[in-house]
Amino acid sequence: MTSVVVIGAGVGGIATAARLAQHGYQVTVTEKGERAGGRCDYLLKDGHHFDTGPTLFVMPQIFAQAFADLGERMEDHLDLRRVDPTYHVHFGDGSTLLLTSDLNAMQTQLEAIEPGSFGGFLRYLNEGRLHYKLAFPNLAERNLSRLPEFCSLKNLLLIFRLKLLTRHYDNMGNYFTDRRLKAAFTFQDMYMSLSPYEAPAMYSLLQYIELADGMWFPMGGMYRIVEALMDIAERSGVRFMYNAPVEQINIDGRQATGVTLADGRQMQADIVVANADLPYVYRCLLPDDGMAKRLERKRYTCSTMMFYWGVDKQYPQFGPHNLFLADNYRQSLDRILKDLTLADEPTFYMHTPVRVDPSLAPEGHDTLVVVVPVGHINDAAPQDWSAIQKRARQLVLQRLAQIGADDLDEHIKFEVSYTPRDWLSRYNLTKGSTLGLGHNLLQMGYLRPRNRHARYRNLYFVGASTHPGSGLPAVLLSARLTTERVLQDVGIPQVAPVMTPATTL
Ligand SMILES: Cc1cc2nc3c(=O)[nH]c(=O)nc-3n(C[C@H](O)[C@H](O)[C@H](O)COP(=O)(O)OP(=O)(O)OC[C@H]3O[C@@H](n4cnc5c(N)ncnc54)[C@H](O)[C@@H]3O)c2cc1C
């Protein structure tokens, strides 16, 4: 049987392992942490359940396809609830906007902010739809490992059709005049760690996806996704090892022969798949061939300062997803992405999952996750994370006080906080960049690190820093593309395993 070692049990690693096992490979996943999930993790304390990483479940059709490819139905594993309004947006001047798929409600709100803007909104959504329909099949959902595939005439035309050379924020002038609306429909670019002042207008697809396909939440929290994938992987025969960090990928000539664990154990394998963050793999697990240095010079996504608060009170003004946009939107983004620090007036996000699933906190209490984007770690001019953390906390509490939560600090029962250093040490994320390599034009498609090593032909990559990019849907696509590449190279082993049926109570 062809053996595979997968380094890392993130969502990308588990999904690839399950797919390969179902094709007849003998798969072992070795994970540095004490459980699976990677960045899609949780924290349980005093009856409060926090999703410590992802909180936004978008593009359910990609999840459903991933389950279907594994022979299962998503609805048998995840109890998804639609979240609408998607965001409670709070502008710096105190005004608000509830983003919703309810067009009548959008019309009333938008017309009150800027007369005539509802028409612009509909046209903007339509452009987002066009960008989505063009970008996904052509750029995201297929392997672009050869230059002619990427630079085909069809793709070159996409430069214009996807407005790749137009800045997203400049493009907003075609739809809205009010700067609050321009901000409310571009802030999602930060999920790609791009400022809309430099991101291509193509990223209007993000707003379309959220409002058209909806925002969802799995009851029980985002970790349910990991549990579901683990269940399928284990029943498909995948073996998981925890607290088992890989120290080195063993190489012989042009082949990877397996891995050496930090405790000295050797694992032989015909194929190695690295799910750990790709720049880290080149820097720490492979012989130096200059690639680690080249990757070092690439653009990295921002990091985040996290606050997980168990609160003994509920604030009705908090929706499930709350976004606080700085009045000086551009400056707040520049401080993060250019100055690599905390904005003077931060734009931040807060998740209140109890609004959707009351079981995630004791009755009458709240579970709050605050995500404050900050610059990634800069070794050349090290940041004082402890001072930044204190300042971020103070600014967040001040901002929340402005919407009536002025006694929040007194009601915080406990606090857990992560700084960029935690992202680095927990998951080996280079520079503590929460979303891995950036998603600017020069780091997309063919220009993003490929899912197979150029020299070691049986070493593959899967996950956020490979093609197509970061976010759970993209990582699930990456798992499909990496599996396809392995099958193309190696073929389907002769003996296919039998799926063990799910245990029923
Ligand atoms: C704060 C935050 C918020 C986010 N919000 C969202 C969101 O709302 N929606 C969304 O879709 N996405 C979101 N994301 C992005 C999403 O979480 C990631 O894109 C996705 O989880 C990455 O999965 P992965 O499999 O590529 O990598 P990872 O999750 O990083 O998994 C890699 C695994 O490799 C392990 N590893 C590392 N080094 C070694 C080693 N030497 N040996 C063994 N194991 C090793 C790590 O411990 C980890 O478990 C968010 C991420 C963060 C951090």
Side-chain angles (χ1 to χ4, degrees), residues 225-256:
I225 303 164
V226 174
E227 288 170 338
L229 291 172
M230 285 293 294
D231 171 43
I232 300 172
E234 284 178 337
R235 281 189 288 115
S236 308
V238 178
R239 190 166 72 100
F240 286 87
M241 293 164 57
Y242 300 107
N243 301 309
V246 168
E247 193 169 78
Q248 171 183 303
I249 298 174
N250 303 330
I251 299 293
D252 184 9
R254 294 177 73 96
Q255 291 283 310

PDB file of all heavy atoms in Angstrom, residues 225-256:
ATOM      1  N   ILE A 225     -16.972  21.581  12.497  1.00  0.00           N
ATOM      2  CA  ILE A 225     -16.466  21.263  11.144  1.00  0.00           C
ATOM      3  C   ILE A 225     -15.290  20.286  11.270  1.00  0.00           C
ATOM      4  O   ILE A 225     -15.193  19.287  10.552  1.00  0.00           O
ATOM      5  CB  ILE A 225     -15.994  22.549  10.415  1.00  0.00           C
ATOM      6  CG1 ILE A 225     -17.116  23.576  10.339  1.00  0.00           C
ATOM      7  CG2 ILE A 225     -15.427  22.234   9.036  1.00  0.00           C
ATOM      8  CD1 ILE A 225     -16.644  24.989   9.996  1.00  0.00           C
ATOM      9  N   VAL A 226     -14.398  20.606  12.212  1.00  0.00           N
ATOM     10  CA  VAL A 226     -13.216  19.756  12.415  1.00  0.00           C
ATOM     11  C   VAL A 226     -13.658  18.369  12.881  1.00  0.00           C
ATOM     12  O   VAL A 226     -13.195  17.337  12.364  1.00  0.00           O
ATOM     13  CB  VAL A 226     -12.273  20.406  13.461  1.00  0.00           C
ATOM     14  CG1 VAL A 226     -11.106  19.484  13.795  1.00  0.00           C
ATOM     15  CG2 VAL A 226     -11.762  21.747  12.949  1.00  0.00           C
ATOM     16  N   GLU A 227     -14.595  18.346  13.839  1.00  0.00           N
ATOM     17  CA  GLU A 227     -15.045  17.047  14.366  1.00  0.00           C
ATOM     18  C   GLU A 227     -15.659  16.194  13.255  1.00  0.00           C
ATOM     19  O   GLU A 227     -15.430  14.983  13.186  1.00  0.00           O
ATOM     20  CB  GLU A 227     -16.060  17.268  15.495  1.00  0.00           C
ATOM     21  CG  GLU A 227     -15.395  17.800  16.751  1.00  0.00           C
ATOM     22  CD  GLU A 227     -16.392  18.266  17.810  1.00  0.00           C
ATOM     23  OE1 GLU A 227     -17.548  18.578  17.472  1.00  0.00           O
ATOM     24  OE2 GLU A 227     -15.993  18.335  18.974  1.00  0.00           O
ATOM     25  N   ALA A 228     -16.419  16.860  12.374  1.00  0.00           N
ATOM     26  CA  ALA A 228     -17.067  16.106  11.288  1.00  0.00           C
ATOM     27  C   ALA A 228     -16.018  15.527  10.336  1.00  0.00           C
ATOM     28  O   ALA A 228     -16.078  14.349   9.954  1.00  0.00           O
ATOM     29  CB  ALA A 228     -18.019  17.028  10.531  1.00  0.00           C
ATOM     30  N   LEU A 229     -15.039  16.355   9.975  1.00  0.00           N
ATOM     31  CA  LEU A 229     -14.008  15.873   9.046  1.00  0.00           C
ATOM     32  C   LEU A 229     -13.157  14.777   9.698  1.00  0.00           C
ATOM     33  O   LEU A 229     -12.765  13.800   9.054  1.00  0.00           O
ATOM     34  CB  LEU A 229     -13.119  17.035   8.590  1.00  0.00           C
ATOM     35  CG  LEU A 229     -13.797  18.069   7.685  1.00  0.00           C
ATOM     36  CD1 LEU A 229     -12.878  19.262   7.456  1.00  0.00           C
ATOM     37  CD2 LEU A 229     -14.185  17.442   6.331  1.00  0.00           C
ATOM     38  N   MET A 230     -12.897  14.933  10.996  1.00  0.00           N
ATOM     39  CA  MET A 230     -12.122  13.915  11.719  1.00  0.00           C
ATOM     40  C   MET A 230     -12.862  12.585  11.745  1.00  0.00           C
ATOM     41  O   MET A 230     -12.282  11.523  11.575  1.00  0.00           O
ATOM     42  CB  MET A 230     -11.892  14.370  13.167  1.00  0.00           C
ATOM     43  CG  MET A 230     -10.861  15.439  13.317  1.00  0.00           C
ATOM     44  SD  MET A 230      -9.236  14.846  12.895  1.00  0.00           S
ATOM     45  CE  MET A 230      -8.967  13.668  14.198  1.00  0.00           C
ATOM     46  N   ASP A 231     -14.165  12.676  11.982  1.00  0.00           N
ATOM     47  CA  ASP A 231     -14.989  11.468  12.024  1.00  0.00           C
ATOM     48  C   ASP A 231     -14.864  10.714  10.688  1.00  0.00           C
ATOM     49  O   ASP A 231     -14.618   9.500  10.658  1.00  0.00           O
ATOM     50  CB  ASP A 231     -16.446  11.904  12.308  1.00  0.00           C
ATOM     51  CG  ASP A 231     -17.431  10.772  12.151  1.00  0.00           C
ATOM     52  OD1 ASP A 231     -17.112   9.668  12.618  1.00  0.00           O
ATOM     53  OD2 ASP A 231     -18.509  10.988  11.560  1.00  0.00           O
ATOM     54  N   ILE A 232     -14.979  11.461   9.598  1.00  0.00           N
ATOM     55  CA  ILE A 232     -14.897  10.810   8.283  1.00  0.00           C
ATOM     56  C   ILE A 232     -13.488  10.262   8.046  1.00  0.00           C
ATOM     57  O   ILE A 232     -13.308   9.132   7.579  1.00  0.00           O
ATOM     58  CB  ILE A 232     -15.284  11.808   7.168  1.00  0.00           C
ATOM     59  CG1 ILE A 232     -16.713  12.304   7.380  1.00  0.00           C
ATOM     60  CG2 ILE A 232     -15.127  11.170   5.793  1.00  0.00           C
ATOM     61  CD1 ILE A 232     -17.131  13.429   6.449  1.00  0.00           C
ATOM     62  N   ALA A 233     -12.483  11.070   8.398  1.00  0.00           N
ATOM     63  CA  ALA A 233     -11.095  10.635   8.160  1.00  0.00           C
ATOM     64  C   ALA A 233     -10.794   9.358   8.944  1.00  0.00           C
ATOM     65  O   ALA A 233     -10.239   8.394   8.401  1.00  0.00           O
ATOM     66  CB  ALA A 233     -10.130  11.753   8.561  1.00  0.00           C
ATOM     67  N   GLU A 234     -11.196   9.336  10.205  1.00  0.00           N
ATOM     68  CA  GLU A 234     -10.884   8.155  11.032  1.00  0.00           C
ATOM     69  C   GLU A 234     -11.623   6.926  10.514  1.00  0.00           C
ATOM     70  O   GLU A 234     -11.052   5.838  10.446  1.00  0.00           O
ATOM     71  CB  GLU A 234     -11.201   8.442  12.500  1.00  0.00           C
ATOM     72  CG  GLU A 234     -10.120   9.321  13.096  1.00  0.00           C
ATOM     73  CD  GLU A 234     -10.351   9.730  14.550  1.00  0.00           C
ATOM     74  OE1 GLU A 234     -11.506   9.732  15.005  1.00  0.00           O
ATOM     75  OE2 GLU A 234      -9.357  10.082  15.194  1.00  0.00           O
ATOM     76  N   ARG A 235     -12.881   7.123  10.105  1.00  0.00           N
ATOM     77  CA  ARG A 235     -13.610   5.968   9.564  1.00  0.00           C
ATOM     78  C   ARG A 235     -13.047   5.521   8.222  1.00  0.00           C
ATOM     79  O   ARG A 235     -13.240   4.393   7.792  1.00  0.00           O
ATOM     80  CB  ARG A 235     -15.102   6.316   9.425  1.00  0.00           C
ATOM     81  CG  ARG A 235     -15.824   6.220  10.766  1.00  0.00           C
ATOM     82  CD  ARG A 235     -17.324   6.341  10.599  1.00  0.00           C
ATOM     83  NE  ARG A 235     -17.765   7.676  10.273  1.00  0.00           N
ATOM     84  CZ  ARG A 235     -18.339   8.057   9.136  1.00  0.00           C
ATOM     85  NH1 ARG A 235     -18.542   7.169   8.177  1.00  0.00           N
ATOM     86  NH2 ARG A 235     -18.728   9.285   8.934  1.00  0.00           N
ATOM     87  N   SER A 236     -12.321   6.428   7.550  1.00  0.00           N
ATOM     88  CA  SER A 236     -11.697   6.045   6.276  1.00  0.00           C
ATOM     89  C   SER A 236     -10.345   5.390   6.489  1.00  0.00           C
ATOM     90  O   SER A 236      -9.662   5.028   5.529  1.00  0.00           O
ATOM     91  CB  SER A 236     -11.521   7.287   5.393  1.00  0.00           C
ATOM     92  OG  SER A 236     -12.730   7.984   5.270  1.00  0.00           O
ATOM     93  N   GLY A 237      -9.918   5.317   7.754  1.00  0.00           N
ATOM     94  CA  GLY A 237      -8.682   4.592   8.055  1.00  0.00           C
ATOM     95  C   GLY A 237      -7.483   5.472   8.360  1.00  0.00           C
ATOM     96  O   GLY A 237      -6.373   4.966   8.552  1.00  0.00           O
ATOM     97  N   VAL A 238      -7.676   6.805   8.415  1.00  0.00           N
ATOM     98  CA  VAL A 238      -6.531   7.685   8.708  1.00  0.00           C
ATOM     99  C   VAL A 238      -6.142   7.532  10.177  1.00  0.00           C
ATOM    100  O   VAL A 238      -7.001   7.466  11.056  1.00  0.00           O
ATOM    101  CB  VAL A 238      -6.890   9.170   8.436  1.00  0.00           C
ATOM    102  CG1 VAL A 238      -5.705  10.078   8.780  1.00  0.00           C
ATOM    103  CG2 VAL A 238      -7.313   9.369   6.991  1.00  0.00           C
ATOM    104  N   ARG A 239      -4.826   7.479  10.428  1.00  0.00           N
ATOM    105  CA  ARG A 239      -4.338   7.398  11.800  1.00  0.00           C
ATOM    106  C   ARG A 239      -3.803   8.772  12.195  1.00  0.00           C
ATOM    107  O   ARG A 239      -3.068   9.406  11.404  1.00  0.00           O
ATOM    108  CB  ARG A 239      -3.206   6.369  11.875  1.00  0.00           C
ATOM    109  CG  ARG A 239      -2.770   6.016  13.288  1.00  0.00           C
ATOM    110  CD  ARG A 239      -1.909   4.762  13.253  1.00  0.00           C
ATOM    111  NE  ARG A 239      -0.586   5.047  12.685  1.00  0.00           N
ATOM    112  CZ  ARG A 239       0.502   5.244  13.419  1.00  0.00           C
ATOM    113  NH1 ARG A 239       0.465   5.186  14.733  1.00  0.00           N
ATOM    114  NH2 ARG A 239       1.672   5.486  12.855  1.00  0.00           N
ATOM    115  N   PHE A 240      -4.205   9.267  13.360  1.00  0.00           N
ATOM    116  CA  PHE A 240      -3.743  10.589  13.819  1.00  0.00           C
ATOM    117  C   PHE A 240      -2.802  10.434  14.999  1.00  0.00           C
ATOM    118  O   PHE A 240      -3.070   9.647  15.917  1.00  0.00           O
ATOM    119  CB  PHE A 240      -4.938  11.453  14.238  1.00  0.00           C
ATOM    120  CG  PHE A 240      -5.733  11.961  13.062  1.00  0.00           C
ATOM    121  CD1 PHE A 240      -6.761  11.182  12.514  1.00  0.00           C
ATOM    122  CD2 PHE A 240      -5.453  13.184  12.484  1.00  0.00           C
ATOM    123  CE1 PHE A 240      -7.490  11.633  11.415  1.00  0.00           C
ATOM    124  CE2 PHE A 240      -6.183  13.651  11.397  1.00  0.00           C
ATOM    125  CZ  PHE A 240      -7.205  12.876  10.857  1.00  0.00           C
ATOM    126  N   MET A 241      -1.711  11.189  14.981  1.00  0.00           N
ATOM    127  CA  MET A 241      -0.784  11.237  16.119  1.00  0.00           C
ATOM    128  C   MET A 241      -0.731  12.677  16.619  1.00  0.00           C
ATOM    129  O   MET A 241      -0.572  13.599  15.814  1.00  0.00           O
ATOM    130  CB  MET A 241       0.624  10.821  15.665  1.00  0.00           C
ATOM    131  CG  MET A 241       0.720   9.364  15.247  1.00  0.00           C
ATOM    132  SD  MET A 241       2.225   9.058  14.292  1.00  0.00           S
ATOM    133  CE  MET A 241       3.489   9.605  15.409  1.00  0.00           C
ATOM    134  N   TYR A 242      -0.866  12.877  17.931  1.00  0.00           N
ATOM    135  CA  TYR A 242      -0.838  14.229  18.501  1.00  0.00           C
ATOM    136  C   TYR A 242       0.428  14.437  19.325  1.00  0.00           C
ATOM    137  O   TYR A 242       1.121  13.471  19.661  1.00  0.00           O
ATOM    138  CB  TYR A 242      -2.083  14.461  19.356  1.00  0.00           C
ATOM    139  CG  TYR A 242      -3.336  14.320  18.527  1.00  0.00           C
ATOM    140  CD1 TYR A 242      -4.174  13.210  18.664  1.00  0.00           C
ATOM    141  CD2 TYR A 242      -3.640  15.264  17.554  1.00  0.00           C
ATOM    142  CE1 TYR A 242      -5.305  13.063  17.872  1.00  0.00           C
ATOM    143  CE2 TYR A 242      -4.772  15.132  16.758  1.00  0.00           C
ATOM    144  CZ  TYR A 242      -5.590  14.022  16.917  1.00  0.00           C
ATOM    145  OH  TYR A 242      -6.693  13.885  16.129  1.00  0.00           O
ATOM    146  N   ASN A 243       0.686  15.696  19.654  1.00  0.00           N
ATOM    147  CA  ASN A 243       1.919  16.052  20.378  1.00  0.00           C
ATOM    148  C   ASN A 243       3.119  15.429  19.668  1.00  0.00           C
ATOM    149  O   ASN A 243       4.037  14.913  20.304  1.00  0.00           O
ATOM    150  CB  ASN A 243       1.851  15.574  21.835  1.00  0.00           C
ATOM    151  CG  ASN A 243       0.672  16.193  22.551  1.00  0.00           C
ATOM    152  OD1 ASN A 243       0.504  17.413  22.510  1.00  0.00           O
ATOM    153  ND2 ASN A 243      -0.177  15.370  23.152  1.00  0.00           N
ATOM    154  N   ALA A 244       3.078  15.449  18.369  1.00  0.00           N
ATOM    155  CA  ALA A 244       4.106  14.773  17.565  1.00  0.00           C
ATOM    156  C   ALA A 244       4.635  15.725  16.489  1.00  0.00           C
ATOM    157  O   ALA A 244       4.387  15.537  15.291  1.00  0.00           O
ATOM    158  CB  ALA A 244       3.513  13.510  16.934  1.00  0.00           C
ATOM    159  N   PRO A 245       5.361  16.785  16.916  1.00  0.00           N
ATOM    160  CA  PRO A 245       5.875  17.739  15.920  1.00  0.00           C
ATOM    161  C   PRO A 245       6.935  17.116  15.022  1.00  0.00           C
ATOM    162  O   PRO A 245       7.774  16.338  15.491  1.00  0.00           O
ATOM    163  CB  PRO A 245       6.474  18.871  16.768  1.00  0.00           C
ATOM    164  CG  PRO A 245       6.687  18.298  18.131  1.00  0.00           C
ATOM    165  CD  PRO A 245       5.695  17.184  18.303  1.00  0.00           C
ATOM    166  N   VAL A 246       6.862  17.454  13.766  1.00  0.00           N
ATOM    167  CA  VAL A 246       7.882  17.005  12.812  1.00  0.00           C
ATOM    168  C   VAL A 246       9.055  17.972  12.910  1.00  0.00           C
ATOM    169  O   VAL A 246       8.865  19.190  12.972  1.00  0.00           O
ATOM    170  CB  VAL A 246       7.299  16.999  11.382  1.00  0.00           C
ATOM    171  CG1 VAL A 246       8.401  16.835  10.346  1.00  0.00           C
ATOM    172  CG2 VAL A 246       6.265  15.891  11.251  1.00  0.00           C
ATOM    173  N   GLU A 247      10.262  17.426  12.949  1.00  0.00           N
ATOM    174  CA  GLU A 247      11.436  18.298  13.029  1.00  0.00           C
ATOM    175  C   GLU A 247      12.099  18.454  11.670  1.00  0.00           C
ATOM    176  O   GLU A 247      12.738  19.452  11.377  1.00  0.00           O
ATOM    177  CB  GLU A 247      12.432  17.709  14.023  1.00  0.00           C
ATOM    178  CG  GLU A 247      13.509  18.678  14.410  1.00  0.00           C
ATOM    179  CD  GLU A 247      14.289  18.129  15.572  1.00  0.00           C
ATOM    180  OE1 GLU A 247      15.131  17.240  15.329  1.00  0.00           O
ATOM    181  OE2 GLU A 247      14.027  18.542  16.714  1.00  0.00           O
ATOM    182  N   GLN A 248      11.909  17.447  10.827  1.00  0.00           N
ATOM    183  CA  GLN A 248      12.602  17.484   9.536  1.00  0.00           C
ATOM    184  C   GLN A 248      11.883  16.585   8.532  1.00  0.00           C
ATOM    185  O   GLN A 248      11.360  15.534   8.906  1.00  0.00           O
ATOM    186  CB  GLN A 248      14.023  16.968   9.771  1.00  0.00           C
ATOM    187  CG  GLN A 248      14.839  16.718   8.540  1.00  0.00           C
ATOM    188  CD  GLN A 248      16.194  16.137   8.919  1.00  0.00           C
ATOM    189  OE1 GLN A 248      16.936  16.730   9.692  1.00  0.00           O
ATOM    190  NE2 GLN A 248      16.500  14.969   8.399  1.00  0.00           N
ATOM    191  N   ILE A 249      11.860  17.026   7.285  1.00  0.00           N
ATOM    192  CA  ILE A 249      11.391  16.133   6.218  1.00  0.00           C
ATOM    193  C   ILE A 249      12.648  15.458   5.666  1.00  0.00           C
ATOM    194  O   ILE A 249      13.616  16.143   5.283  1.00  0.00           O
ATOM    195  CB  ILE A 249      10.652  16.929   5.118  1.00  0.00           C
ATOM    196  CG1 ILE A 249       9.408  17.611   5.715  1.00  0.00           C
ATOM    197  CG2 ILE A 249      10.271  16.009   3.953  1.00  0.00           C
ATOM    198  CD1 ILE A 249       8.663  18.534   4.766  1.00  0.00           C
ATOM    199  N   ASN A 250      12.655  14.148   5.676  1.00  0.00           N
ATOM    200  CA  ASN A 250      13.856  13.426   5.237  1.00  0.00           C
ATOM    201  C   ASN A 250      13.904  13.378   3.711  1.00  0.00           C
ATOM    202  O   ASN A 250      12.894  13.098   3.063  1.00  0.00           O
ATOM    203  CB  ASN A 250      13.862  12.002   5.814  1.00  0.00           C
ATOM    204  CG  ASN A 250      13.771  12.032   7.337  1.00  0.00           C
ATOM    205  OD1 ASN A 250      14.235  12.985   7.963  1.00  0.00           O
ATOM    206  ND2 ASN A 250      13.163  11.014   7.923  1.00  0.00           N
ATOM    207  N   ILE A 251      15.090  13.644   3.196  1.00  0.00           N
ATOM    208  CA  ILE A 251      15.260  13.745   1.750  1.00  0.00           C
ATOM    209  C   ILE A 251      16.361  12.795   1.301  1.00  0.00           C
ATOM    210  O   ILE A 251      17.398  12.671   1.958  1.00  0.00           O
ATOM    211  CB  ILE A 251      15.664  15.199   1.366  1.00  0.00           C
ATOM    212  CG1 ILE A 251      14.582  16.208   1.788  1.00  0.00           C
ATOM    213  CG2 ILE A 251      16.006  15.309  -0.117  1.00  0.00           C
ATOM    214  CD1 ILE A 251      13.265  16.104   1.069  1.00  0.00           C
ATOM    215  N   ASP A 252      16.131  12.141   0.157  1.00  0.00           N
ATOM    216  CA  ASP A 252      17.189  11.341  -0.467  1.00  0.00           C
ATOM    217  C   ASP A 252      17.163  11.691  -1.948  1.00  0.00           C
ATOM    218  O   ASP A 252      16.219  11.309  -2.650  1.00  0.00           O
ATOM    219  CB  ASP A 252      16.902   9.846  -0.222  1.00  0.00           C
ATOM    220  CG  ASP A 252      18.017   8.965  -0.770  1.00  0.00           C
ATOM    221  OD1 ASP A 252      19.056   9.528  -1.176  1.00  0.00           O
ATOM    222  OD2 ASP A 252      17.832   7.732  -0.806  1.00  0.00           O
ATOM    223  N   GLY A 253      18.167  12.425  -2.394  1.00  0.00           N
ATOM    224  CA  GLY A 253      18.184  12.852  -3.803  1.00  0.00           C
ATOM    225  C   GLY A 253      17.012  13.761  -4.112  1.00  0.00           C
ATOM    226  O   GLY A 253      16.861  14.803  -3.485  1.00  0.00           O
ATOM    227  N   ARG A 254      16.165  13.319  -5.037  1.00  0.00           N
ATOM    228  CA  ARG A 254      15.020  14.149  -5.414  1.00  0.00           C
ATOM    229  C   ARG A 254      13.724  13.654  -4.788  1.00  0.00           C
ATOM    230  O   ARG A 254      12.642  13.982  -5.245  1.00  0.00           O
ATOM    231  CB  ARG A 254      14.879  14.166  -6.942  1.00  0.00           C
ATOM    232  CG  ARG A 254      16.039  14.860  -7.646  1.00  0.00           C
ATOM    233  CD  ARG A 254      15.870  14.787  -9.132  1.00  0.00           C
ATOM    234  NE  ARG A 254      14.816  15.683  -9.596  1.00  0.00           N
ATOM    235  CZ  ARG A 254      15.021  16.901 -10.064  1.00  0.00           C
ATOM    236  NH1 ARG A 254      16.246  17.384 -10.108  1.00  0.00           N
ATOM    237  NH2 ARG A 254      14.023  17.639 -10.475  1.00  0.00           N
ATOM    238  N   GLN A 255      13.865  12.863  -3.734  1.00  0.00           N
ATOM    239  CA  GLN A 255      12.680  12.263  -3.103  1.00  0.00           C
ATOM    240  C   GLN A 255      12.595  12.608  -1.624  1.00  0.00           C
ATOM    241  O   GLN A 255      13.621  12.646  -0.942  1.00  0.00           O
ATOM    242  CB  GLN A 255      12.772  10.725  -3.188  1.00  0.00           C
ATOM    243  CG  GLN A 255      12.628  10.147  -4.578  1.00  0.00           C
ATOM    244  CD  GLN A 255      11.170  10.136  -5.028  1.00  0.00           C
ATOM    245  OE1 GLN A 255      10.308   9.678  -4.297  1.00  0.00           O
ATOM    246  NE2 GLN A 255      10.902  10.672  -6.208  1.00  0.00           N
ATOM    247  N   ALA A 256      11.382  12.802  -1.136  1.00  0.00           N
ATOM    248  CA  ALA A 256      11.162  12.832   0.316  1.00  0.00           C
ATOM    249  C   ALA A 256      10.950  11.379   0.725  1.00  0.00           C
ATOM    250  O   ALA A 256      10.203  10.644   0.067  1.00  0.00           O
ATOM    251  CB  ALA A 256       9.928  13.660   0.638  1.00  0.00           C
TER     252      ALA A 256
END
